[in-house]
mmCIF file of all heavy atoms in Angstrom:
data_model
loop_
_atom_site.group_PDB
_atom_site.id
_atom_site.type_symbol
_atom_site.label_atom_id
_atom_site.label_comp_id
_atom_site.label_asym_id
_atom_site.label_seq_id
_atom_site.Cartn_x
_atom_site.Cartn_y
_atom_site.Cartn_z
ATOM 1 N N CYS V 1527 10.212 13.547 29.203
ATOM 2 C CA CYS V 1527 9.470 14.214 28.154
ATOM 3 C C CYS V 1527 9.491 13.426 26.898
ATOM 4 O O CYS V 1527 8.463 13.825 26.079
ATOM 5 C CB CYS V 1527 9.936 15.622 27.939
ATOM 6 S SG CYS V 1527 11.557 15.674 27.087
ATOM 7 N N PHE V 1528 10.208 12.542 26.717
ATOM 8 C CA PHE V 1528 10.435 12.109 25.327
ATOM 9 C C PHE V 1528 9.182 11.244 24.786
ATOM 10 O O PHE V 1528 9.000 11.231 23.539
ATOM 11 C CB PHE V 1528 11.653 11.164 25.251
ATOM 12 C CG PHE V 1528 12.879 11.994 25.565
ATOM 13 C CD1 PHE V 1528 13.658 11.534 26.738
ATOM 14 C CD2 PHE V 1528 13.319 13.024 24.863
ATOM 15 C CE1 PHE V 1528 14.796 12.330 27.104
ATOM 16 C CE2 PHE V 1528 14.470 13.674 25.246
ATOM 17 C CZ PHE V 1528 15.161 13.458 26.248
ATOM 18 N N ASP V 1529 8.451 10.577 25.625
ATOM 19 C CA ASP V 1529 7.232 9.950 25.171
ATOM 20 C C ASP V 1529 5.985 10.915 25.142
ATOM 21 O O ASP V 1529 4.861 10.573 24.800
ATOM 22 C CB ASP V 1529 6.922 8.742 26.049
ATOM 23 C CG ASP V 1529 6.886 9.077 27.547
ATOM 24 O OD1 ASP V 1529 7.328 10.086 27.900
ATOM 25 O OD2 ASP V 1529 6.193 8.406 28.234
ATOM 26 N N GLN V 1530 6.231 12.149 25.550
ATOM 27 C CA GLN V 1530 5.170 13.310 25.487
ATOM 28 C C GLN V 1530 5.324 14.196 24.381
ATOM 29 O O GLN V 1530 4.457 14.955 24.155
ATOM 30 C CB GLN V 1530 5.189 14.093 26.809
ATOM 31 C CG GLN V 1530 4.917 13.044 27.950
ATOM 32 C CD GLN V 1530 5.128 13.982 29.351
ATOM 33 O OE1 GLN V 1530 5.275 15.187 29.346
ATOM 34 N NE2 GLN V 1530 5.099 13.126 30.545
ATOM 35 N N LEU V 1531 6.513 14.044 23.610
ATOM 36 C CA LEU V 1531 6.700 15.000 22.535
ATOM 37 C C LEU V 1531 6.063 14.533 21.224
ATOM 38 O O LEU V 1531 5.538 13.399 21.245
ATOM 39 C CB LEU V 1531 8.254 15.028 22.241
ATOM 40 C CG LEU V 1531 9.150 15.577 23.297
ATOM 41 C CD1 LEU V 1531 10.600 15.301 22.832
ATOM 42 C CD2 LEU V 1531 8.838 17.011 23.533
ATOM 43 N N PRO V 1532 5.836 15.331 20.213
ATOM 44 C CA PRO V 1532 5.116 14.942 19.000
ATOM 45 C C PRO V 1532 5.803 13.696 18.359
ATOM 46 O O PRO V 1532 7.020 13.487 18.538
ATOM 47 C CB PRO V 1532 5.267 16.129 18.086
ATOM 48 C CG PRO V 1532 5.373 17.286 19.020
ATOM 49 C CD PRO V 1532 6.140 16.817 20.156
ATOM 50 N N SER V 1533 5.024 12.874 17.858
ATOM 51 C CA SER V 1533 5.581 11.536 17.270
ATOM 52 C C SER V 1533 6.583 11.705 16.238
ATOM 53 O O SER V 1533 7.479 10.786 15.990
ATOM 54 C CB SER V 1533 4.492 10.698 16.799
ATOM 55 O OG SER V 1533 3.797 11.374 15.645
ATOM 56 N N GLN V 1534 6.786 12.863 15.684
ATOM 57 C CA GLN V 1534 7.780 12.980 14.692
ATOM 58 C C GLN V 1534 9.256 12.929 15.262
ATOM 59 O O GLN V 1534 10.263 12.742 14.551
ATOM 60 C CB GLN V 1534 7.661 14.428 13.857
ATOM 61 C CG GLN V 1534 6.293 14.537 13.077
ATOM 62 C CD GLN V 1534 5.227 15.095 13.827
ATOM 63 O OE1 GLN V 1534 5.139 14.935 15.060
ATOM 64 N NE2 GLN V 1534 4.306 15.707 13.175
ATOM 65 N N THR V 1535 9.243 13.196 16.555
ATOM 66 C CA THR V 1535 10.484 13.191 17.208
ATOM 67 C C THR V 1535 10.949 11.851 17.874
ATOM 68 O O THR V 1535 12.047 11.668 18.377
ATOM 69 C CB THR V 1535 10.642 14.313 18.279
ATOM 70 O OG1 THR V 1535 9.713 13.751 19.533
ATOM 71 C CG2 THR V 1535 10.031 15.578 17.906
ATOM 72 N N TRP V 1536 10.009 10.840 17.756
ATOM 73 C CA TRP V 1536 10.277 9.572 18.623
ATOM 74 C C TRP V 1536 11.318 8.742 18.119
ATOM 75 O O TRP V 1536 11.951 7.955 18.861
ATOM 76 C CB TRP V 1536 8.945 8.671 18.509
ATOM 77 C CG TRP V 1536 7.896 9.332 19.367
ATOM 78 C CD1 TRP V 1536 7.791 10.572 19.937
ATOM 79 C CD2 TRP V 1536 6.629 8.594 19.744
ATOM 80 N NE1 TRP V 1536 6.760 10.616 20.767
ATOM 81 C CE2 TRP V 1536 6.028 9.517 20.585
ATOM 82 C CE3 TRP V 1536 6.201 7.402 19.515
ATOM 83 C CZ2 TRP V 1536 4.736 9.273 21.142
ATOM 84 C CZ3 TRP V 1536 4.918 7.098 20.005
ATOM 85 C CH2 TRP V 1536 4.208 8.007 20.828
ATOM 86 N N ASP V 1537 12.061 9.058 16.816
ATOM 87 C CA ASP V 1537 13.068 8.259 16.428
ATOM 88 C C ASP V 1537 14.392 8.946 16.429
ATOM 89 O O ASP V 1537 15.384 8.539 15.818
ATOM 90 C CB ASP V 1537 12.795 7.619 14.974
ATOM 91 C CG ASP V 1537 12.563 8.838 13.932
ATOM 92 O OD1 ASP V 1537 12.513 9.969 14.382
ATOM 93 O OD2 ASP V 1537 12.449 8.537 12.790
ATOM 94 N N GLN V 1538 14.358 10.153 17.162
ATOM 95 C CA GLN V 1538 15.657 10.898 17.234
ATOM 96 C C GLN V 1538 16.594 10.246 18.155
ATOM 97 O O GLN V 1538 16.236 9.416 19.031
ATOM 98 C CB GLN V 1538 15.252 12.375 17.664
ATOM 99 C CG GLN V 1538 14.399 13.076 16.736
ATOM 100 C CD GLN V 1538 15.087 13.243 15.359
ATOM 101 O OE1 GLN V 1538 16.283 13.728 15.331
ATOM 102 N NE2 GLN V 1538 14.381 12.977 14.322
ATOM 103 N N GLY V 1539 17.881 10.519 18.030
ATOM 104 C CA GLY V 1539 18.929 9.819 18.657
ATOM 105 C C GLY V 1539 19.298 10.387 19.924
ATOM 106 O O GLY V 1539 18.822 11.394 20.446
ATOM 107 N N LEU V 1540 20.411 9.896 20.558
ATOM 108 C CA LEU V 1540 20.874 10.227 21.817
ATOM 109 C C LEU V 1540 21.292 11.757 21.898
ATOM 110 O O LEU V 1540 20.837 12.573 22.779
ATOM 111 C CB LEU V 1540 22.046 9.425 22.177
ATOM 112 C CG LEU V 1540 22.737 9.663 23.547
ATOM 113 C CD1 LEU V 1540 21.702 9.349 24.667
ATOM 114 C CD2 LEU V 1540 24.027 8.868 23.769
ATOM 115 N N GLU V 1541 22.099 12.338 20.852
ATOM 116 C CA GLU V 1541 22.491 13.618 20.949
ATOM 117 C C GLU V 1541 21.325 14.599 20.840
ATOM 118 O O GLU V 1541 21.365 15.635 21.456
ATOM 119 C CB GLU V 1541 23.569 13.981 19.703
ATOM 120 C CG GLU V 1541 24.142 15.265 19.680
ATOM 121 C CD GLU V 1541 24.824 15.660 21.040
ATOM 122 O OE1 GLU V 1541 25.413 14.720 21.601
ATOM 123 O OE2 GLU V 1541 24.795 16.898 21.355
ATOM 124 N N TRP V 1542 20.295 14.203 19.940
ATOM 125 C CA TRP V 1542 19.171 15.172 19.887
ATOM 126 C C TRP V 1542 18.517 15.283 21.179
ATOM 127 O O TRP V 1542 18.016 16.430 21.586
ATOM 128 C CB TRP V 1542 18.174 14.595 18.720
ATOM 129 C CG TRP V 1542 17.073 15.513 18.464
ATOM 130 C CD1 TRP V 1542 16.983 16.403 17.434
ATOM 131 C CD2 TRP V 1542 15.814 15.701 19.164
ATOM 132 N NE1 TRP V 1542 15.703 17.069 17.439
ATOM 133 C CE2 TRP V 1542 15.106 16.626 18.533
ATOM 134 C CE3 TRP V 1542 15.293 14.900 20.230
ATOM 135 C CZ2 TRP V 1542 13.766 16.835 18.952
ATOM 136 C CZ3 TRP V 1542 13.858 15.238 20.562
ATOM 137 C CH2 TRP V 1542 13.224 16.343 19.962
ATOM 138 N N ARG V 1543 18.283 14.068 21.940
ATOM 139 C CA ARG V 1543 17.622 14.118 23.181
ATOM 140 C C ARG V 1543 18.421 14.789 24.165
ATOM 141 O O ARG V 1543 17.683 15.600 25.067
ATOM 142 C CB ARG V 1543 17.424 12.665 23.631
ATOM 143 C CG ARG V 1543 16.291 12.056 22.788
ATOM 144 C CD ARG V 1543 16.308 10.546 22.862
ATOM 145 N NE ARG V 1543 15.189 9.928 22.065
ATOM 146 C CZ ARG V 1543 15.219 8.654 21.713
ATOM 147 N NH1 ARG V 1543 16.123 7.794 22.168
ATOM 148 N NH2 ARG V 1543 14.175 8.194 21.003
ATOM 149 N N ARG V 1544 19.683 14.864 24.179
ATOM 150 C CA ARG V 1544 20.478 15.647 25.054
ATOM 151 C C ARG V 1544 20.347 17.176 24.816
ATOM 152 O O ARG V 1544 20.167 17.997 25.788
ATOM 153 C CB ARG V 1544 22.056 15.245 24.904
ATOM 154 C CG ARG V 1544 22.376 13.911 25.493
ATOM 155 C CD ARG V 1544 23.837 13.693 25.305
ATOM 156 N NE ARG V 1544 24.382 12.440 25.995
ATOM 157 C CZ ARG V 1544 25.423 11.834 25.821
ATOM 158 N NH1 ARG V 1544 26.347 12.338 24.985
ATOM 159 N NH2 ARG V 1544 25.719 10.750 26.636
#
Side-chain angles (χ1 to χ4, degrees):
C1527 68
F1528 298 115
D1529 56 337
Q1530 299 173 9
L1531 295 176
S1533 62
Q1534 293 91 333
T1535 70
W1536 285 12
D1537 60 351
Q1538 296 300 307
L1540 181 65
E1541 182 56 33
W1542 189 95
R1543 289 165 178 163
R1544 285 176 173 172

